[in-house]
Amino acid sequence: MPTNMTLFSINAILILSTDDRTRILTKYYSAPHPPLHAPPGSSYPGANPYPTVKDQKAFEKGLMDKTNKQTSDVILYDNRVVVFKMEGDVMLYVVGGADENEVLLFSVVLALRDSLNILLKTSTDKRTIIENYDLVALAIDEIVDDGIILETDPVIIASRVSKPPAQDMVNMKNIDLSEQGLLNVWEFGKQKLAERMRQGL
């Protein structure tokens, strides 16, 4: 049994352009609370392996060079398991630790691809992703939070991102925000509180 079992299985999710090799959307994750025994700057499960933008861009450039002509969907690069899918003119990457389960990481990249196909309807390309950047960022946040996989069902992800829940919506048309309306609410609250106190005694 591995000693470093952790929920933090994702180091990064990257959406990179294949045309000009630029970053479209990149999210690097690190555990919000490092272990107590971990010295500063050390590598522990869930630690961000690329803390600076310079390190991130160097990793992304090397990753694009390595995966540009690949026929497989899983590689080992820089001591990280990387799964990827090409969609239109973008590459979707999910990066995990060297001992991470490739099938788990592959389910994340498929969830990202399928949820983007549902949300963007037309096509998953650089222009559409940039125009719908908010939906793409929300979809990634629904899939992974701080490196922990939350959801891999693309239909559920798309439904959470595309519309607000109906039960949480408040009908603002019937709310009286005038001074008299606020006084009425205050009096109503006082009456209800008094009734509850009488019932409790």
Side-chain angles (χ1 to χ4, degrees), residues 171-184:
N171 187 1
M172 295 297 286
K173 293 180 182 176
N174 298 333
I175 297 177
D176 183 13
L177 294 177
S178 67
E179 187 174 343
Q180 184 61 44
L182 293 176
L183 287 173
N184 291 343

Side-chain angles (χ1 to χ4, degrees), residues 159-195:
S159 69
R160 288 182 183 166
V161 170
S162 60
K163 61 180 171 38
Q167 67 268 20
D168 294 341
M169 298 291 287
V170 177
N171 187 1
M172 295 297 286
K173 293 180 182 176
N174 298 333
I175 297 177
D176 183 13
L177 294 177
S178 67
E179 187 174 343
Q180 184 61 44
L182 293 176
L183 287 173
N184 291 343
V185 169
W186 175 256
E187 288 300 320
F188 180 76
K190 280 187 356 185
Q191 289 173 357
K192 289 294 180 185
L193 181 62
E195 288 176 16

Side-chain angles (χ1 to χ4, degrees), residues 25 37 133 199:
L25 191 150
H37 63 277
Y133 197 85
Q199 290 174 355

Side-chain angles (χ1 to χ4, degrees), residues 40-51:
S42 68
S43 178
Y44 55 88
N48 184 356
Y50 309 103

Side-chain angles (χ1 to χ4, degrees), residues 39-158:
S42 68
S43 178
Y44 55 88
N48 184 356
Y50 309 103
T52 66
V53 175
K54 182 181 177 185
D55 294 340
Q56 293 172 3
K57 287 189 175 184
F59 172 74
E60 292 162 13
K61 181 183 182 307
L63 190 60
M64 282 294 289
D65 292 339
K66 177 94 173 182
T67 59
N68 204 13
K69 303 282 189 245
Q70 286 285 333
T71 57
S72 65
D73 293 332
V74 180
I75 62 165
L76 184 65
Y77 177 73
D78 196 25
N79 203 25
R80 305 267 165 226
V81 174
V82 180
V83 295
F84 59 94
K85 278 287 187 191
M86 185 166 185
E87 279 293 305
D89 60 350
V90 297
M91 287 284 263
L92 309 172
Y93 294 97
V94 175
V95 181
D99 56 348
E100 197 55 59
N101 186 343
E102 297 89 3
V103 176
L104 182 69
L105 297 177
F106 196 68
S107 69
V108 172
V109 80
L110 289 179
L112 177 61
R113 182 196 67 182
D114 295 343
S115 60
L116 291 181
N117 284 337
I118 293 170
L119 288 169
L120 303 179
K121 291 178 182 83
T122 54
S123 66
T124 307
D125 58 359
K126 180 179 178 180
R127 181 178 177 187
T128 311
I129 289 174
I130 291 173
E131 288 173 355
N132 297 288
Y133 197 85
D134 55 343
L135 291 177
V136 176
L138 285 172
I140 290 174
D141 288 342
E142 286 293 328
I143 297 171
V144 176
D145 184 34
D146 281 336
I148 300 172
I149 300 169
L150 300 177
E151 184 64 63
T152 57
D153 186 353
V155 175
I156 293 174
I157 295 164

